[in-house]
Amino acid sequence: MMTTIIPMIPQLLIGAADLTAAFLFLYGLHRMSSPVTAPSGIFVAGIGMAVAILASFFYAFSVTQAAQSHLMTNIGLVILALVIGGGIAWWSGRSVAMTAMPQMVAIYNGMGGGAAGAIAGVELFGGKAVGVTALVVTLGGALIGAVSLSGSLIAWAKLDGVIHKPLRFKGQQIFNGLLLLATLAVGVYLVAATQDQSLLVLSLPASIYLFFVCSLALGIFMTLPIGGADMPVVISIFNAFTGLAVGLEGFVLQNPALMIAGMVVGAAGMLLTLLMAKAMNRSVANIVFSNFGEVTKHKQGNIAGSLKPIQAGDAGIAMRYASSVIIVPGYGLAVAQGQGKLYEFVKLLQAGGVSVKFAVHPVAGRMPGQMDVLLAEAGVPYDMIFQLEDINEQFATTDIALVIGANDVVNPAARTDKSSPIFGMPILNADKAKKVFVVKRGKGKGYAGIVNALFYGENCDMVYGDAQEVLIKMIEAVRGLGLPAVK
């Protein structure tokens, strides 16, 4: 009896660990649904990942006789990879600037997709994917993982400024469509040739290499034409792709932890993509298959009015004597690292009895949730932060809207200019406030390259300068009035 049970112990421990990890993933995701519990949710999910990784060492007890001679070498390589990968992740996670978070997320998405693609490669080259179903699932994971890898690297290059402009050429969408069909055709050939060797025209290894080359090229050519304004959606889509690829490879390996983790990430990423697409008034099909990231070439009509500059101190004092202020943070605030000074200024306003709220657009910044994280880093209470649909009606009854480093998400052209590339996109109604102050470095256009009619409005004044420096001047001006800050 015991001789029968003992060899099964490693597999039983792996199964128990996988189920534990899956539970921790799901529980961690549940806690991430609220900003208050999100940090503990991330920690719980991280524990789940650690459990899954440690459990994988039990596979050492069931390796084949042929692999026994390489066992210690392979274990050493695994530990070395964990130390190097874990060390880099720990260092980058602690040292990355808030403005560089989108780039880091893009890289991590790519690494996840690449890992899924690598697993698929091992299965395909090793002939371990047996049967039509296993082959189709493996190839599906390989395709999605490779697209996520190469596409995420291009996204990183765009976000980091390595690639400055979208790269487009005539007939690009047709080319991308043909490339996708060619990739699928190679995949179909691989399945057919594996089942019937008489169909072999190109060797299986060469066909597998060709499949990966086409998949990687598809990710590159799909991402190159994307404009800057669509980057948050791009990151979200590749996040979903990575999760889906990992889930498919988990099915191939019959690993429950991989399957659950991949499906959770894929589903969350797809849901986020849908929400982002809705926030931009575009369908997912339009984003993926149509004018993905294309900025419509249109001649913007003449905008009435003029830009009216104002001193930072004057704007700060005006807000001190207002009854209500809504603040719209944007990427410029993150670039200036002004979130700490902003909250210091907010506390001064609150000391004077001013009602202050934050309005965050779903696509503010360059990745989903970037503004929420930025404000949380400064210690802004969550009950002061409102999403678009919860606060938009309040702008009309608000004394002052303070826009800091945001542009396209407050551009009224989205409501009025049918030729604008952002027409139809829900925006924050900052222009409807009684008074608007816009903190901006200069007179340039936003990330989408569109002139903002808000800046020329009768009720709008421009405060030019670095957001942190402007906020310091506002703080000094309000403190000069002799009011203490709230604790």
Side-chain angles (χ1 to χ4, degrees):
M1 181 68 177
M2 291 300 293
T3 56
T4 305
I5 294 177
I6 289 177
M8 296 173 60
I9 291 178
Q11 289 301 322
L12 292 173
L13 290 175
I14 291 171
D18 283 346
L19 286 176
T20 302
F23 170 77
L24 292 173
F25 291 152
L26 293 173
Y27 183 61
L29 184 66
H30 170 69
R31 294 191 66 78
M32 290 180 209
S33 61
S34 165
V36 178
T37 57
S40 62
I42 293 171
F43 180 77
V44 169
I47 294 294
M49 183 59 70
V51 169
I53 291 173
L54 291 175
S56 65
F57 282 92
F58 287 112
Y59 285 109
F61 292 98
S62 58
V63 298
T64 62
Q65 190 65 35
Q68 285 288 343
S69 58
H70 305 290
L71 183 58
M72 296 312 298
T73 301
N74 289 336
I75 289 177
L77 290 173
V78 169
I79 293 174
L80 181 63
L82 286 173
V83 170
I84 294 174
I88 293 174
W90 179 268
W91 171 79
S92 61
R94 292 182 65 85
S95 62
V96 65
M98 187 54 66
T99 51
M101 283 293 287
Q103 293 95 306
M104 191 176 80
V105 171
I107 284 288
Y108 283 175
N109 275 344
M111 294 301 102
I119 292 173
V122 170
E123 295 294 306
L124 292 170
F125 283 111
K128 298 178 181 178
V130 180
V132 174
T133 302
L135 271 170
V136 170
V137 173
T138 304
L139 288 168
L143 170 62
I144 298 170
V147 167
S148 181
L149 170 61
S150 58
S152 295
L153 290 177
I154 296 298
W156 166 83
K158 285 173 172 285
L159 290 165
D160 207 51
V162 178
I163 299 176
H164 298 283
K165 295 181 179 178
L167 299 179
R168 297 166 182 151
F169 54 86
K170 189 176 181 180
Q172 191 165 29
Q173 291 180 20
I174 296 174
F175 176 83
N176 287 350
L178 292 175
L179 185 57
L180 174 60
L181 290 176
T183 308
L184 294 176
V186 176
V188 171
Y189 167 76
L190 271 168
V191 174
T194 304
Q195 302 303 307
D196 185 356
Q197 299 287 322
S198 65
L199 298 175
L200 271 178
V201 177
L202 187 66
S203 69
L204 288 177
S207 302
I208 296 170
Y209 280 122
L210 180 61
F211 182 79
F212 275 106
V213 168
C214 290
S215 301
L216 291 168
L218 181 61
I220 293 172
F221 285 105
M222 192 177 84
T223 315
L224 278 176
I226 298 171
D230 283 329
M231 271 303 146
V233 184
V234 173
I235 293 176
S236 180
I237 286 178
F238 285 137
N239 181 43
F241 278 9
T242 295
L244 184 57
V246 170
L248 290 173
E249 298 312 325
F251 177 80
V252 173
L253 296 176
Q254 290 296 293
N255 186 308
L258 271 182
M259 279 190 278
I260 293 173
M263 289 300 109
V264 166
V265 172
M270 186 52 67
L271 181 59
L272 185 58
T273 301
L274 291 171
L275 292 173
M276 300 278 287
K278 181 181 177 182
M280 298 175 74
N281 194 35
R282 300 169 65 183
S283 68
V284 175
N286 174 269
I287 292 173
V288 175
F289 300 112
S290 184
N291 299 319
F292 192 39
E294 184 176 355
V295 177
T296 305
K297 293 180 180 178
H298 78 294
K299 185 177 180 180
Q300 189 143 5
N302 293 328
I303 297 177
S306 60
L307 298 172
K308 299 178 289 296
I310 187 176
Q311 294 297 315
D314 294 338
I317 291 173
M319 283 183 274
R320 161 60 186 82
Y321 287 109
S323 297
S324 55
V325 173
I326 295 179
I327 299 173
V328 180
Y331 187 68
L333 179 67
V335 172
Q337 286 293 292
Q339 63 271 24
K341 290 300 177 185
L342 174 59
Y343 189 42
E344 189 178 339
F345 176 63
V346 166
K347 288 191 283 188
L348 280 172
L349 296 180
Q350 291 177 318
V354 182
S355 169
V356 183
K357 297 176 180 177
F358 289 86
V360 176
H361 193 279
V363 295
R366 295 185 184 176
M367 63 172 280
Q370 187 177 17
M371 290 302 109
D372 298 88
V373 176
L374 190 75
L375 296 176
E377 184 185 40
V380 176
Y382 298 116
D383 58 4
M384 290 180 66
I385 303 173
F386 296 84
Q387 301 303 311
L388 180 146
E389 62 274 13
D390 298 323
I391 199 169
N392 235 7
E393 296 297 324
Q394 299 182 34
F395 277 102
T397 56
T398 297
D399 289 340
I400 296 177
L402 174 62
V403 180
I404 307 177
N407 199 333
D408 302 319
V409 298
V410 292
N411 192 340
R415 291 195 300 261
T416 58
D417 186 356
K418 292 184 178 179
S419 65
S420 172
I422 62 170
F423 179 72
M425 182 178 88
I427 62 166
L428 290 165
N429 295 332
D431 59 312
K432 295 185 177 180
K434 298 173 185 174
K435 187 69 184 177
V436 183
F437 293 126
V438 176
V439 178
K440 199 170 183 300
R441 279 180 177 272
K443 299 179 181 178
K445 299 173 183 176
Y447 202 46
I450 310 165
V451 176
N452 195 331
L454 167 69
F455 303 163
Y456 296 82
E458 285 294 325
N459 63 339
C460 181
D461 288 334
M462 306 295 294
V463 186
Y464 291 115
D466 175 85
Q468 183 171 172
E469 294 174 1
V470 166
L471 286 164
I472 290 173
K473 292 176 181 176
M474 289 181 175
I475 291 169
E476 291 172 348
V478 174
R479 279 182 177 161
L481 300 175
L483 290 170
V486 293
K487 300 298 183 184

